[in-house]
Amino acid sequence: MAATNTDNVEKLLENTNAILERMANSQSPIIQAYAEVATEGAKGFVYNGVMKPSIAQSYTKEHYEFCIRNLNCNDKNGLDIPLSAQETNRITATTNNNGYGLKLMPLYHLIENDNLYKATPTEADLQDVAEAVSKDVINLLEKAHIPIGTTVWLKLANGDNSIKLYIKGIEHSIFQKGYSVGIIGDDITQQQQTNSRTLESTYSPFEESTCGSTIRTMTIGENDGTFKIYWAEQ
């Protein structure tokens, strides 16, 4: 039996819907935020867990301008929640667009791993670790919709010297992908400095993060010279 006009129309619609579905699934994620030079003297806080409106409002009322949010989980109980694309857009969107109106920078915890880090690494070991870690960082940055150019902060793991040996390689690999890189140490009282960029750390009086540790606040120091701190904003 020959196909009717109705059959042809239904087939056409079916094919069209299938094409549209494939196009939707293959489209690159829309990154709404963009990288901008951070303001000297701006205050911010570090948070592990999904940002709630009450948290954002508490800090913005106290004139905090940015948030440093973790990309990966550093809690053995799995209580840290990695940054998502939806949260990135919510944090950086203006209050007029139902956002929190905060600037954002991501934080990656370098975690000690006996299978990855060696006490006396060879040059090949350094390259392998830098490639593996930076690949994970880039993957998480893309999932979280962090725009190219934003400063990615690397948190050292418990002051472990073996991890510090790999930092330069990791920094270089991430930099090659278009991001800038900063280092945050373990000592809460020390100045965090990298490439003439400084963050000062203190304790925050507001509330605890989801993993039970006290929220840290940070202040951007002199942000001049060639290597500046960049945050994501909308």
Side-chain angles (χ1 to χ4, degrees), residues 17-108:
N17 289 335
I19 293 172
L20 291 175
E21 183 178 357
R22 288 197 297 270
M23 290 177 62
N25 292 333
S26 64
Q27 284 179 345
S28 300
I30 298 175
I31 298 178
Q32 298 180 11
Y34 59 90
E36 188 61 72
V37 178
T39 305
E40 177 183 351
K43 297 193 301 180
F45 59 100
V46 183
Y47 195 71
N48 300 325
V50 178
M51 182 71 61
K52 298 179 292 187
S54 59
I55 296 290
Q57 291 169 5
S58 295
Y59 281 93
T60 54
K61 286 181 180 178
E62 295 293 331
H63 308 293
Y64 284 85
E65 297 183 48
F66 70 93
C67 168
I68 293 182
R69 180 72 167 78
N70 58 295
L71 283 172
N72 60 336
C73 183
N74 189 44
D75 183 79
K76 294 181 179 179
N77 298 318
L79 295 178
D80 287 358
I81 307 297
L83 179 66
S84 67
Q86 181 181 7
E87 190 181 355
T88 293
N89 290 335
R90 186 71 183 274
I91 291 173
T92 58
T94 62
T95 54
N96 292 335
N97 291 323
N98 299 316
Y100 299 148
L102 289 166
K103 314 303 189 295
L104 176 67
M105 288 185 286
L107 172 67
Y108 185 89

Side-chain angles (χ1 to χ4, degrees), residues 18-216:
I19 293 172
L20 291 175
E21 183 178 357
R22 288 197 297 270
M23 290 177 62
N25 292 333
S26 64
Q27 284 179 345
S28 300
I30 298 175
I31 298 178
Q32 298 180 11
Y34 59 90
E36 188 61 72
V37 178
T39 305
E40 177 183 351
K43 297 193 301 180
F45 59 100
V46 183
Y47 195 71
N48 300 325
V50 178
M51 182 71 61
K52 298 179 292 187
S54 59
I55 296 290
Q57 291 169 5
S58 295
Y59 281 93
T60 54
K61 286 181 180 178
E62 295 293 331
H63 308 293
Y64 284 85
E65 297 183 48
F66 70 93
C67 168
I68 293 182
R69 180 72 167 78
N70 58 295
L71 283 172
N72 60 336
C73 183
N74 189 44
D75 183 79
K76 294 181 179 179
N77 298 318
L79 295 178
D80 287 358
I81 307 297
L83 179 66
S84 67
Q86 181 181 7
E87 190 181 355
T88 293
N89 290 335
R90 186 71 183 274
I91 291 173
T92 58
T94 62
T95 54
N96 292 335
N97 291 323
N98 299 316
Y100 299 148
L102 289 166
K103 314 303 189 295
L104 176 67
M105 288 185 286
L107 172 67
Y108 185 89
H109 293 269
L110 292 170
I111 303 171
E112 176 66 11
N113 186 325
D114 293 335
N115 296 323
L116 192 62
Y117 300 98
K118 298 180 181 179
T120 56
T122 64
E123 184 175 347
D125 292 331
L126 294 173
Q127 293 177 350
D128 290 343
V129 172
E131 181 178 353
V133 174
S134 59
K135 183 177 181 180
D136 188 39
V137 176
I138 295 301
N139 180 53
L140 292 170
L141 289 170
E142 292 176 347
K143 285 184 177 180
H145 289 198
I146 300 298
I148 294 295
T150 305
T151 299
V152 182
W153 294 97
L154 301 179
K155 174 69 170 61
L156 301 183
N158 300 320
D160 189 87
N161 290 325
S162 65
I163 289 181
K164 294 177 182 178
L165 295 173
Y166 303 89
I167 293 298
K168 287 185 178 180
I170 296 170
E171 283 185 298
H172 178 73
S173 296
I174 297 174
F175 178 78
Q176 290 294 92
K177 293 293 186 178
Y179 298 90
S180 59
V181 184
I183 304 297
I184 294 180
D186 295 296
D187 190 351
I188 194 68
T189 62
Q190 74 179 23
Q191 284 189 334
Q192 315 297 346
Q193 183 172 346
T194 173
N195 296 335
S196 300
R197 296 170 296 184
T198 303
L199 292 179
E200 298 174 353
S201 301
T202 59
Y203 285 110
S204 167
F206 292 113
E207 64 178 280
E208 294 183 346
S209 63
T210 55
C211 65
S213 61
T214 304
I215 293 178
R216 296 178 175 183

